[in-house]
Amino acid sequence: QDMAPSVIYVDQVELVYQAAKKGKKGGDANAPSRIMKDLSAAIKQVKRGPEATEQDRILFIGCTSRPFDDTVNTKELMAAFDEKVWVSYPEY
């Protein structure tokens, strides 16, 4: 928020919002999913609407080609972002 206005772009956001694997303790220290809670908290921390200030001029963009993949925690992914834009495959 100190660098606002800012745009934060996360490509392949499905890797961040991976569903937890059952029976596996710990996890890979370098896995992108380790920042899921931190990213969700940062997005929620930015105020919206009339109570927003100059420091809240931050745009989070998450891009994925597999939003409904079996390995994705779809509920958390959909809850993290306010607006969704669906783009279909091109018809060549």
Side-chain angles (χ1 to χ4, degrees):
Q1 287 181 331
D2 294 334
M3 302 297 288
S6 301
V7 175
I8 299 172
Y9 176 77
V10 181
D11 195 13
Q12 296 181 346
V13 75
E14 75 273 2
L15 297 177
V16 175
Y17 287 94
Q18 286 182 345
K21 295 179 183 175
K22 294 182 180 179
K24 188 172 183 182
K25 298 277 182 176
D28 186 7
N30 294 324
S33 60
R34 74 186 187 287
I35 66 167
M36 179 173 59
K37 290 180 182 178
D38 296 330
L39 181 62
S40 295
I43 292 171
K44 290 176 185 173
Q45 185 179 5
V46 176
K47 296 180 183 77
R48 296 162 182 84
E51 65 271 2
T53 64
E54 285 291 319
Q55 289 183 328
D56 293 315
R57 294 177 56 196
I58 300 173
L59 176 64
F60 287 92
I61 299 173
C63 183
T64 180
S65 60
R66 300 178 291 154
F68 299 109
D69 197 34
D70 291 339
T71 62
V72 177
N73 187 344
T74 307
K75 183 179 175 184
E76 287 290 327
L77 177 63
M78 296 297 162
F81 296 95
D82 289 340
E83 296 185 27
K84 288 86 177 163
V85 177
W86 304 101
V87 180
S88 62
Y89 291 107
E91 296 178 17
Y92 292 110

